[in-house]
């Protein structure tokens, strides 16, 4: 089992910049046969080695390698973002997190369907289009495209992108509405109240600030009276209470469950599901004077997204393609709609509930939620162009505890990326490959099973990889990053302690010891490249190829808990044509 590699190490900067990497990387020749390694949790499986898994999201992600008939499915969604304005770092945050979770689930060999998209109807959209002198359709096309471009820049590998202006979506919304109507849960009534145009909803006076200001958008609500259709949410109070008692994991993080239970306990009010004053929307079946209001429209996107374009657009077909979702990932601003309204709507239509709703915290600026309506946003494309997608993904997933709020500061961003990705992981890679080149004429053949026998670093790495796996499973993304980073730290401490540079000089058995040390550290780096790949996919691909594997092998790698037979062995033969060992600094 040999792996022969020719490397050309680039200067330290390519390590963090995908654009530089792609433009400067030299040709690599890789040959390998079914390599196997010491960590029993992370295996590169030969049966998965033929297809290519794309890191970029220019096309939707299709996992051609997995035998879908046997694989457990995992369907996850981001919110469908409202196209009243272009995306910002807040929208990117949910999507990056969802992408990391999707990538981890794919490493577990699950059949993943990762759904995102855009919510394109309503008063605000029509207003924004008019302000730009464009039609609502042109406006939606342009902003929806801006989301897709950002997802490409951020390495978001979604499977389905649904737009609520798709005709298949409209057909499903109408069918769903008719089902709920037939169940006796829709009625017509007058409503008068205080309306927040930015939230596009009526507010309870008691939740408003001074001068009837919306607490989210800090703008005064206006008094409105309308004749609308209503959904009988109050009928579902008891069933919702029971559902949450029986399935406490339905709402995550767990501290948000109390909040949701509190809302339900305080009494559920029926809510309006149509607007008489809004033309830009899906007409209410049998009443074209009204259009369907946001939650009876946008939420259905999670189901209509499951339809293939060629399929007949009906609920039955969509449901059979992957409903119920395993996870709705959302910001806490829309928790009530996902954890109360949506389950009740599904109960009314006789459909299964999603398995989990996770409401994460806000990225804030000066303590206020970053948002399109407040206009206090951080521009993600600018960050990606300056620092690369891996740095952006890593910073927000590592440094904002998933579930809590987090503030951004550029100084902290640069310090974290330099300390973790460049100085810990990048430097471990560079110094190890540098030692190989200098001391082994760039060639090393060592049996890793023997090298790793009884080795303390091996045990540490295996334990940390397992720790990272558990954190990913629990959606503790920051802790998962931390566990992988600890592998990097352990590798650096190991090299410092073993001092292979002086062992190489001594020759004889000391030389062999040094060679074994390097194989073990290289193996730790390979494990880092797999375990961190959900968070920083492009960077990890670069590490993987530096270690001598092909992109196909990286894309085929899987994270499976299998017991390892004792006969495993690895012969790693590295040939480094030019290697520069430099301390890596990003700026
Ligand atoms: N500051 C933020 N922090 C974290 N997530 C955010 C933030 N802003 C938006 N999101 C994500 O986007 C979702 C809301 O999408 P939406 O398109 O309504 O964006 P928005 O910027 O919050 O809009 P608005 O400011 O008009 O309310 C949230 O549930 C969350 O998933």
């Amino acid at each position: 089992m040999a792996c022969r590699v020719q490397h050309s190490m680039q200067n330290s900067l390519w390590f963090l910049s995908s654009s530089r990497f792609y433009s400067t990387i030299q040709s690599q020749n890789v040959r390998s046969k079914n390599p196997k390694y010491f960590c029993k949790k992370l295996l590169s499986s030969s049966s998965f080695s033929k297809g290519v898994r794309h890191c970029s999201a220019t096309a939707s992600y299709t996992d051609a390698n997995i035998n879908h008939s046997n694989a457990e499915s995992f369907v996850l969604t981001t919110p469908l973002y409202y196209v009243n304005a272009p995306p910002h770092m807040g929208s990117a945050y949910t999507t990056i997190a969802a992408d990391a979770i999707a990538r981890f689930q794919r490493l577990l060999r699950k059949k993943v369907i990762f759904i995102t998209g855009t919510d394109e109807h309503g008063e605000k959209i029509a207003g924004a289009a008019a302000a730009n002198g464009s039609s609502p359709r042109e406006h939606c096309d342009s902003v929806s495209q801006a989301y897709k471009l950002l997802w490409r820049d951020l390495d978001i590998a979604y499977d389905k992108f649904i737009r609520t202006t798709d005709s298949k979506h409209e057909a499903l919304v109408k069918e769903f509405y008719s089902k709920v109507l037939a169940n006796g849960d829709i009625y017509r009534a007058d409503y008068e109240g205080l309306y927040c145009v930015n939230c596009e909803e009526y507010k309870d006076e008691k939740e408003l600030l001074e001068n009837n200001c919306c607490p989210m958008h800090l703008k005064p609500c206006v008094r409105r009276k309308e004749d609308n259709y209503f959904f009988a949410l109050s009928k579902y109070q008891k069933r919702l209470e029971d559902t949450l008692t029986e399935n406490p994991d339905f709402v995550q993080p767990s501290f948000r469950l109390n909040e949701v239970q509190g809302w339900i306990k305080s009494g559920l009010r029926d809510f309006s599901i149509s607007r008489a004053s809004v033309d830009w929307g899906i007409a209410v079946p049998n009443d074209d004077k009204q259009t369907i209001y946001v939650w009876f429209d946008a939420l259905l996107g999670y189901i209509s997204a499951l339809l293939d374009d060629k399929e007949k657009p009906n609920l039955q077909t969509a449901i059979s393609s992957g409903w119920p979702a395993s996870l709705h990932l959302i910001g806490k601003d829309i928790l009530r709609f996902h954890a109360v309204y949506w389950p009740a709507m599904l109960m009314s239509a006789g459909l299964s509930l999603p398995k989990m709703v996770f409401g994460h915290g806000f990225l804030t600026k000066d303590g206020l939620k970053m948002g399109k309506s407040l206009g206090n946003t951080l521009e993600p494309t600018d960050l990606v162009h300056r620092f690369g997608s891996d740095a952006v993904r890593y910073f927000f997933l590592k440094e904002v505890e998933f579930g809590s709020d987090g503030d951004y500061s550029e100084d902290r961003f640069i310090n974290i990326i330099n300390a973790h990705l460049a100085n810990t992981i990048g430097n471990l890679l560079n110094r190890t490959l540098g030692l190989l080149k200098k001391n082994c004429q760039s060639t090393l053949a060592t049996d890793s099973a023997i090298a790793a026998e009884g080795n303390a670093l091996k045990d540490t790495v295996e334990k940390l990889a397992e720790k990272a796996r558990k954190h990913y499973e629990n959606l503790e993304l920051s802790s998962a990053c931390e566990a992988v980073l600890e592998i990097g730290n352990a590798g650096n401490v190991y090299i410092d302690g073993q001092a292979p540079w002086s062992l190489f000089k001594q020759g004889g058995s000391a030389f062999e010891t040094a060679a074994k040390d390097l194989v073990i550290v290289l193996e730790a780096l390979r494990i880092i490249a797999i375990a961190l790949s959900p968070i920083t996919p492009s960077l990890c691909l670069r590490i993987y190829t530096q270690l001598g594997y092909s992109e196909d092998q990286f894309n085929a790698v899987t994270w499976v808990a299998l017991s390892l037979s004792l006969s495993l062995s690895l012969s790693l033969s590295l040939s480094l044509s030019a290697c520069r060992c430099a301390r890596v600094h990003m700026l």
Side-chain angles (χ1 to χ4, degrees):
M1 295 183 197
C3 165
R4 184 160 188 84
V5 187
Q6 286 184 347
H7 279 291
S8 178
M9 280 285 284
Q10 305 306 310
N11 69 40
S12 56
L13 283 172
W14 67 258
F15 190 76
L16 285 163
S17 162
S18 52
S19 53
R20 275 191 205 101
F21 169 75
Y22 288 120
S23 61
T24 59
I25 191 89
Q26 304 294 306
S27 66
Q28 298 177 1
N29 297 321
V30 180
R31 272 194 289 124
S32 75
K33 290 181 202 159
N34 189 24
K36 291 182 182 169
Y37 310 97
F38 72 62
C39 179
K40 61 185 166 192
K41 303 295 180 193
L42 299 164
L43 294 181
S44 176
S45 157
S46 58
S47 61
F48 280 72
S49 64
K50 290 214 173 78
V52 175
R53 192 175 272 181
H54 300 283
C55 291
S56 109
T58 39
S60 64
Y61 184 109
T62 310
D63 189 342
N65 298 311
I66 292 180
N67 178 351
H68 284 169
S69 54
N70 298 330
E72 191 185 329
S73 73
F74 190 91
V75 177
L76 81 163
T77 68
T78 70
L80 305 191
Y81 301 106
Y82 203 41
V83 295
N84 57 329
H88 57 89
M89 197 55 231
S91 0
Y93 178 64
T94 316
T95 316
I96 291 169
D99 186 63
I101 294 164
R103 286 174 187 273
F104 169 70
Q105 294 291 336
R106 290 186 191 115
L107 282 176
L108 296 183
R109 305 168 79 166
K110 294 205 187 143
K111 178 196 169 194
V112 172
I113 306 179
F114 170 16
I115 296 170
T116 189
T118 43
D119 170 14
E120 305 191 357
H121 289 130
E123 196 175 349
K124 272 205 285 188
I125 305 297
N132 292 335
S134 52
S135 69
R137 166 65 67 181
E138 285 164 348
H139 172 87
C140 293
D141 286 350
S142 141
V143 181
S144 186
Q145 184 60 15
Y147 274 91
K148 284 188 175 171
L149 291 176
L150 177 61
W151 300 159
R152 187 201 58 190
D153 286 351
L154 281 166
D155 270 339
I156 306 294
Y158 57 80
D159 298 285
K160 306 275 187 184
F161 190 102
I162 183 71
R163 298 179 58 184
T164 58
T165 47
D166 280 356
S167 56
K168 66 180 181 186
H169 174 75
E170 180 170 338
L172 244 74
V173 167
K174 287 185 166 168
E175 189 187 342
F176 185 87
Y177 184 98
S178 303
K179 265 181 174 273
V180 176
L181 181 69
N183 199 33
D185 288 338
I186 293 179
Y187 63 92
R188 193 165 180 160
D190 281 337
Y191 190 79
E192 183 170 359
L194 286 165
Y195 189 81
C196 171
V197 178
N198 286 308
C199 295
E200 293 200 69
E201 67 169 349
Y202 286 97
K203 297 281 185 188
D204 253 346
E205 282 189 39
K206 61 176 185 258
E207 63 186 281
L208 298 179
L209 307 174
E210 218 175 301
N211 294 329
N212 293 331
C213 275
C214 164
M216 191 87 75
H217 296 105
L218 307 179
K219 295 205 174 112
C221 296
V222 289
R223 189 155 290 280
R224 267 201 191 174
K225 186 175 176 191
E226 266 193 349
D227 158 29
N228 293 150
Y229 291 95
F230 281 76
F231 172 65
L233 178 66
S234 53
K235 256 175 76 174
Y236 290 90
Q237 170 125 6
K238 173 83 174 73
R239 276 181 71 185
L240 285 169
E241 274 171 0
D242 293 347
T243 301
L244 291 181
T245 309
E246 285 156 23
N247 308 288
D249 288 344
F250 179 71
V251 178
Q252 291 290 324
S254 52
F255 61 84
R256 297 215 194 281
L257 177 67
N258 297 338
E259 207 175 320
V260 174
Q261 284 175 320
W263 291 330
I264 299 173
K265 223 178 228 141
S266 70
L268 293 179
R269 288 211 325 226
D270 298 349
F271 67 95
S272 147
I273 58 168
S274 73
R275 290 289 180 270
S277 52
V278 180
D279 294 337
W280 181 242
I282 299 172
V284 167
N286 302 321
D287 185 350
D288 59 11
K289 300 232 161 24
Q290 301 245 355
T291 51
I292 294 176
Y293 169 65
V294 55
W295 302 111
F296 253 66
D297 173 355
L299 289 169
L300 268 298
Y302 299 147
I303 300 181
S304 59
L306 292 165
L307 283 168
D308 278 339
D309 285 340
K310 289 192 197 99
E311 282 177 330
K312 215 162 177 257
N314 61 45
L315 275 172
Q316 180 61 39
T317 313
I319 296 289
S320 64
S321 303
W323 191 256
S326 317
L327 173 65
H328 287 321
L329 205 59
I330 53 164
K332 61 183 177 181
D333 51 335
I334 49 177
L335 183 61
R336 186 199 304 251
F337 306 110
H338 284 75
V340 181
Y341 289 24
W342 181 224
M345 288 161 58
L346 290 164
M347 285 172 185
S348 174
L351 303 180
S352 307
L353 307 194
K355 290 176 194 145
M356 186 188 286
V357 175
F358 189 104
H360 63 68
F362 289 151
L363 302 188
T364 55
K365 216 168 178 187
D366 305 323
L368 287 176
K369 174 187 176 255
M370 214 183 265
K372 294 189 287 257
S373 300
L374 282 185
N376 59 345
T377 54
L378 181 66
E379 176 48 64
T381 311
D382 175 51
L383 281 183
V384 172
H385 287 158
R386 289 169 62 206
F387 303 112
S389 68
D390 292 303
V392 176
R393 292 171 64 110
Y394 182 84
F395 176 79
F396 286 101
L397 296 183
K398 168 70 179 67
E399 285 304 292
V400 180
E401 190 67 45
F402 202 47
S404 311
D405 292 354
D407 226 62
Y408 169 81
S409 115
E410 184 158 314
D411 283 351
R412 207 166 113 246
F413 181 99
I414 291 169
N415 288 340
I416 291 291
I417 297 306
N418 273 333
H420 296 187
L421 297 187
N423 290 349
T424 300
I425 295 174
N427 210 39
L428 181 63
L429 180 71
N430 279 349
R431 68 200 297 217
T432 312
L433 292 180
L435 281 166
L436 270 176
K437 178 177 185 289
K438 186 168 175 208
N439 298 289
C440 308
Q441 292 84 46
S442 302
T443 303
L444 177 65
T446 298
D447 186 318
S448 77
I450 295 170
E453 229 166 63
N455 184 283
L457 181 61
K458 168 189 182 285
D459 292 342
T460 306
V461 171
E462 286 190 354
K463 279 188 192 128
L464 288 169
E466 176 58 8
K467 198 169 159 189
R469 187 189 64 76
K470 285 193 179 136
H471 286 309
Y472 276 124
E473 291 222 318
N474 296 331
L475 309 182
E476 294 154 354
L477 301 176
S478 172
S479 305
C481 293
E482 188 61 48
V484 182
L485 195 66
E486 280 182 49
I487 300 179
N489 285 328
N492 279 311
V493 167
Y494 184 81
I495 288 219
D496 290 344
Q498 295 295 105
W501 48 88
S502 85
L503 293 176
F504 276 127
K505 278 188 197 135
Q506 290 167 35
S509 66
F511 188 98
E512 275 171 34
T513 304
K516 280 182 191 170
D517 287 337
L518 293 196
V519 165
I520 291 165
V521 174
L522 286 168
E523 188 52 8
L525 277 159
R526 191 186 67 83
I527 286 160
I528 288 173
I530 300 169
L532 201 61
S533 66
I535 310 287
T536 57
S538 298
L539 172 65
C540 289
L541 168 63
R542 295 199 292 282
I543 297 175
Y544 217 68
T545 51
Q546 283 291 301
L547 293 175
Y549 304 102
S550 68
E551 186 169 346
D552 279 0
Q553 284 173 317
F554 178 74
N555 291 327
V557 91
T558 171
W559 191 332
V560 189
L562 297 173
S563 61
L564 198 73
S565 88
L566 287 173
S567 62
L568 275 191
S569 71
L570 167 84
S571 293
L572 186 66
S573 174
L574 289 168
S575 170
L576 304 169
S577 56
C579 179
R580 196 136 37 106
C581 181
R583 247 185 107 64
V584 181
H585 282 288
M586 210 175 114
L587 293 174

